[in-house]
Amino acid sequence: MKAVVQRVTRASVTVGGEQISAIGRGICVLLGISLEDTQKELEHMVRKILNLRVFEDESGKHWSKSVMDKQYEILCVSQFTLQCVLKGNKPDFHLAMPTEQAEGFYNSFLEQLRKTYSPELIKDGKFGAYMQVHIQNDGPVTIELESPAPGTATSDPKQLSKLEKQQQRKEKTRAKGPSESSKERNTPRKEDRSASSGAEGDVSSEREP
């Protein structure tokens, strides 16, 4: 799932010459749904959008507050063209979720946004319609977001830290094994008289793993 988030002073959607949706200060989200997206990617994107710090705080410090912190509005517009890949100079959209599936998925996305935030502050366009989207970008500030591809490692810093520690322990274990074996091979062995007669078997073979 991909999203282009723009900080705006105002934004609106017009269909057939009629304005169907509008917001004041807040963010405009253009959302591209992938063929492989699931509920997991949906929840990830909702969380990122709502917590993205693109606004200043009361003291004027930039990049300090999210749209939720400021209680600003959100205008969402479904845009399958974000899933474009180029074949030469021609756009190809085979990675985008088919329309019949994407509409339900997009509605679930909106529902999750409203459930997590304030329903009255979430506006959207008209799915599948030919729209004119009017965006007055503030800054300009435009942020691209992309959910982790299904099956890839998590991007959460805490989880990455755990994975890194696990990997370090594995590397230490691997490094420790050969060094001990090397020490053992280099340690002079006392002669075992019984070994020469074969009574206790081959000592060297017993020491091998």
Side-chain angles (χ1 to χ4, degrees):
M1 185 179 293
K2 296 180 180 179
V4 173
V5 180
Q6 299 183 64
R7 188 179 70 186
V8 302
T9 51
R10 63 172 177 258
S12 62
V13 176
T14 300
V15 176
E18 178 184 357
Q19 181 175 290
I20 65 168
S21 193
I23 65 169
R25 191 160 175 77
I27 58 175
C28 180
V29 178
L30 307 177
L31 188 74
I33 303 170
S34 163
L35 185 65
E36 297 183 342
D37 284 333
T38 66
Q39 183 68 22
K40 181 180 179 181
E41 285 72 51
L42 184 155
E43 292 174 357
H44 172 90
M45 188 59 73
V46 167
R47 187 167 61 252
K48 283 294 184 182
I49 289 169
L50 293 178
N51 290 286
L52 185 64
R53 295 186 294 178
V54 293
F55 298 99
E56 59 186 29
D57 63 15
E58 294 73 17
S59 65
K61 183 179 179 182
H62 296 293
W63 320 114
S64 299
K65 297 293 183 178
S66 68
V67 69
M68 284 204 304
D69 294 330
K70 303 293 282 186
Q71 288 294 293
Y72 287 157
E73 295 177 290
I74 301 175
L75 175 62
C76 295
V77 178
S78 176
Q79 189 172 0
F80 73 91
T81 58
L82 287 176
Q83 294 294 340
C84 162
V85 291
L86 291 178
K87 291 187 175 180
N89 293 320
K90 182 181 179 181
D92 180 272
F93 307 106
H94 72 275
L95 294 179
M97 185 176 287
T99 304
E100 56 274 12
Q101 296 173 247
E103 183 171 8
F105 195 90
Y106 177 67
N107 288 334
S108 295
F109 171 81
L110 291 175
E111 183 181 343
Q112 185 71 22
L113 266 182
R114 293 179 174 124
K115 180 181 177 181
T116 310
Y117 191 26
S118 300
E120 68 277 8
L121 296 178
I122 308 297
K123 308 291 177 62
D124 71 298
K126 186 176 181 180
F127 185 90
Y130 190 87
M131 296 175 277
Q132 284 76 48
V133 183
H134 305 273
I135 301 170
Q136 186 166 298
N137 196 316
D138 180 31
V141 173
T142 301
I143 308 292
E144 294 180 305
L145 299 176
E146 186 169 359
S147 60
T152 59
T154 179
S155 60
D156 181 75
K158 292 182 180 179
Q159 292 298 322
L160 284 175
S161 178
K162 289 180 181 179
L163 291 173
E164 288 171 356
K165 289 180 180 179
Q166 289 175 0
Q167 184 63 28
Q168 289 173 359
R169 284 197 294 269
K170 288 180 180 179
E171 290 175 355
K172 286 180 180 179
T173 301
R174 284 197 295 267
K176 185 178 180 181
S179 63
E180 288 182 343
S181 298
S182 177
K183 288 180 181 179
E184 188 175 330
R185 284 194 298 269
N186 294 330
T187 301
R189 297 172 181 170
K190 294 182 180 180
E191 183 179 354
D192 189 338
R193 296 182 180 278
S194 63
S196 60
S197 64
E200 298 296 328
D202 188 348
V203 174
S204 62
S205 65
E206 288 181 0
R207 290 181 177 269
E208 290 296 324

